[in-house]
PDB file of all heavy atoms in Angstrom:
ATOM      1  N   ARG A  52       5.181 -14.032  11.996  1.00 95.00           N
ATOM      2  CA  ARG A  52       5.817 -13.723  13.248  1.00 95.00           C
ATOM      3  C   ARG A  52       7.304 -14.102  13.191  1.00 95.00           C
ATOM      4  O   ARG A  52       8.182 -13.337  13.622  1.00 95.00           O
ATOM      5  CB  ARG A  52       5.139 -14.372  14.431  1.00 95.00           C
ATOM      6  CG  ARG A  52       5.764 -14.048  15.756  1.00 95.00           C
ATOM      7  CD  ARG A  52       5.117 -14.722  16.906  1.00 95.00           C
ATOM      8  NE  ARG A  52       5.809 -14.435  18.128  1.00 95.00           N
ATOM      9  CZ  ARG A  52       5.287 -14.095  19.293  1.00 95.00           C
ATOM     10  NH1 ARG A  52       3.961 -14.100  19.373  1.00 95.00           N
ATOM     11  NH2 ARG A  52       6.007 -13.878  20.306  1.00 95.00           N
ATOM     12  N   ASP A  53       7.570 -15.310  12.683  1.00 93.00           N
ATOM     13  CA  ASP A  53       8.916 -15.752  12.581  1.00 93.00           C
ATOM     14  C   ASP A  53       9.745 -14.860  11.665  1.00 93.00           C
ATOM     15  O   ASP A  53      10.843 -14.506  12.011  1.00 93.00           O
ATOM     16  CB  ASP A  53       8.957 -17.200  12.099  1.00 93.00           C
ATOM     17  CG  ASP A  53      10.360 -17.739  11.977  1.00 93.00           C
ATOM     18  OD1 ASP A  53      11.026 -17.943  13.037  1.00 93.00           O
ATOM     19  OD2 ASP A  53      10.853 -17.953  10.844  1.00 93.00           O
ATOM     20  N   ALA A  54       9.174 -14.548  10.540  1.00 93.00           N
ATOM     21  CA  ALA A  54       9.902 -13.688   9.593  1.00 93.00           C
ATOM     22  C   ALA A  54      10.189 -12.290  10.176  1.00 93.00           C
ATOM     23  O   ALA A  54      11.297 -11.782  10.039  1.00 93.00           O
ATOM     24  CB  ALA A  54       9.135 -13.565   8.289  1.00 93.00           C
ATOM     25  N   CYS A  55       9.186 -11.736  10.825  1.00 93.00           N
ATOM     26  CA  CYS A  55       9.392 -10.422  11.458  1.00 93.00           C
ATOM     27  C   CYS A  55      10.376 -10.468  12.617  1.00 93.00           C
ATOM     28  O   CYS A  55      11.139  -9.532  12.837  1.00 93.00           O
ATOM     29  CB  CYS A  55       8.081  -9.853  11.919  1.00 93.00           C
ATOM     30  SG  CYS A  55       6.904  -9.389  10.583  1.00 93.00           S
ATOM     31  N   SER A  56      10.323 -11.490  13.379  1.00 90.00           N
ATOM     32  CA  SER A  56      11.225 -11.653  14.564  1.00 90.00           C
ATOM     33  C   SER A  56      12.646 -11.972  14.163  1.00 90.00           C
ATOM     34  O   SER A  56      13.566 -11.514  14.813  1.00 90.00           O
ATOM     35  CB  SER A  56      10.691 -12.737  15.480  1.00 90.00           C
ATOM     36  OG  SER A  56       9.429 -12.453  15.947  1.00 90.00           O
ATOM     37  N   ASN A  57      12.826 -12.795  13.139  1.00 88.00           N
ATOM     38  CA  ASN A  57      14.198 -13.285  12.826  1.00 88.00           C
ATOM     39  C   ASN A  57      14.847 -12.640  11.632  1.00 88.00           C
ATOM     40  O   ASN A  57      16.034 -12.732  11.514  1.00 88.00           O
ATOM     41  CB  ASN A  57      14.139 -14.796  12.688  1.00 88.00           C
ATOM     42  CG  ASN A  57      13.731 -15.464  14.031  1.00 88.00           C
ATOM     43  OD1 ASN A  57      14.358 -15.177  15.038  1.00 88.00           O
ATOM     44  ND2 ASN A  57      12.729 -16.343  13.941  1.00 88.00           N
ATOM     45  N   VAL A  58      14.023 -12.108  10.735  1.00 89.00           N
ATOM     46  CA  VAL A  58      14.635 -11.560   9.491  1.00 89.00           C
ATOM     47  C   VAL A  58      14.337 -10.079   9.377  1.00 89.00           C
ATOM     48  O   VAL A  58      15.195  -9.219   9.082  1.00 89.00           O
ATOM     49  CB  VAL A  58      14.109 -12.299   8.264  1.00 89.00           C
ATOM     50  CG1 VAL A  58      14.655 -11.657   6.927  1.00 89.00           C
ATOM     51  CG2 VAL A  58      14.456 -13.754   8.318  1.00 89.00           C
ATOM     52  N   GLY A  59      13.105  -9.670   9.675  1.00 89.00           N
ATOM     53  CA  GLY A  59      12.709  -8.279   9.569  1.00 89.00           C
ATOM     54  C   GLY A  59      12.023  -7.926   8.273  1.00 89.00           C
ATOM     55  O   GLY A  59      11.534  -6.797   8.138  1.00 89.00           O
ATOM     56  N   PHE A  60      12.036  -8.831   7.342  1.00 90.00           N
ATOM     57  CA  PHE A  60      11.454  -8.551   6.054  1.00 90.00           C
ATOM     58  C   PHE A  60      10.795  -9.918   5.520  1.00 90.00           C
ATOM     59  O   PHE A  60      11.099 -10.972   6.040  1.00 90.00           O
ATOM     60  CB  PHE A  60      12.545  -8.236   4.973  1.00 90.00           C
ATOM     61  CG  PHE A  60      13.304  -7.018   5.345  1.00 90.00           C
ATOM     62  CD1 PHE A  60      14.559  -7.144   5.997  1.00 90.00           C
ATOM     63  CD2 PHE A  60      12.863  -5.701   4.982  1.00 90.00           C
ATOM     64  CE1 PHE A  60      15.311  -6.030   6.248  1.00 90.00           C
ATOM     65  CE2 PHE A  60      13.631  -4.610   5.296  1.00 90.00           C
ATOM     66  CZ  PHE A  60      14.803  -4.804   5.923  1.00 90.00           C
ATOM     67  N   PHE A  61       9.851  -9.698   4.602  1.00 96.00           N
ATOM     68  CA  PHE A  61       9.239 -10.885   3.982  1.00 96.00           C
ATOM     69  C   PHE A  61       8.548 -10.422   2.663  1.00 96.00           C
ATOM     70  O   PHE A  61       8.232  -9.244   2.517  1.00 96.00           O
ATOM     71  CB  PHE A  61       8.195 -11.597   4.952  1.00 96.00           C
ATOM     72  CG  PHE A  61       7.143 -10.717   5.379  1.00 96.00           C
ATOM     73  CD1 PHE A  61       5.907 -10.535   4.643  1.00 96.00           C
ATOM     74  CD2 PHE A  61       7.205  -9.994   6.560  1.00 96.00           C
ATOM     75  CE1 PHE A  61       4.948  -9.758   5.115  1.00 96.00           C
ATOM     76  CE2 PHE A  61       6.179  -9.215   7.047  1.00 96.00           C
ATOM     77  CZ  PHE A  61       5.026  -9.097   6.290  1.00 96.00           C
ATOM     78  N   TYR A  62       8.360 -11.357   1.838  1.00 96.00           N
ATOM     79  CA  TYR A  62       7.520 -11.168   0.655  1.00 96.00           C
ATOM     80  C   TYR A  62       6.189 -11.914   0.893  1.00 96.00           C
ATOM     81  O   TYR A  62       6.217 -12.881   1.642  1.00 96.00           O
ATOM     82  CB  TYR A  62       8.128 -11.791  -0.612  1.00 96.00           C
ATOM     83  CG  TYR A  62       9.399 -11.116  -1.103  1.00 96.00           C
ATOM     84  CD1 TYR A  62      10.642 -11.685  -0.942  1.00 96.00           C
ATOM     85  CD2 TYR A  62       9.327  -9.880  -1.771  1.00 96.00           C
ATOM     86  CE1 TYR A  62      11.773 -11.090  -1.424  1.00 96.00           C
ATOM     87  CE2 TYR A  62      10.492  -9.284  -2.243  1.00 96.00           C
ATOM     88  CZ  TYR A  62      11.710  -9.882  -2.044  1.00 96.00           C
ATOM     89  OH  TYR A  62      12.833  -9.290  -2.553  1.00 96.00           O
ATOM     90  N   VAL A  63       5.120 -11.412   0.340  1.00 97.00           N
ATOM     91  CA  VAL A  63       3.825 -12.097   0.427  1.00 97.00           C
ATOM     92  C   VAL A  63       3.420 -12.640  -0.922  1.00 97.00           C
ATOM     93  O   VAL A  63       3.358 -11.851  -1.905  1.00 97.00           O
ATOM     94  CB  VAL A  63       2.753 -11.151   0.993  1.00 97.00           C
ATOM     95  CG1 VAL A  63       1.424 -11.789   1.026  1.00 97.00           C
ATOM     96  CG2 VAL A  63       3.180 -10.632   2.331  1.00 97.00           C
TER      97      VAL A  63
END
Side-chain angles (χ1 to χ4, degrees):
R52 181 181 176 138
D53 181 67
C55 290
S56 299
N57 295 309
V58 178
F60 301 95
F61 59 88
Y62 292 107
V63 177

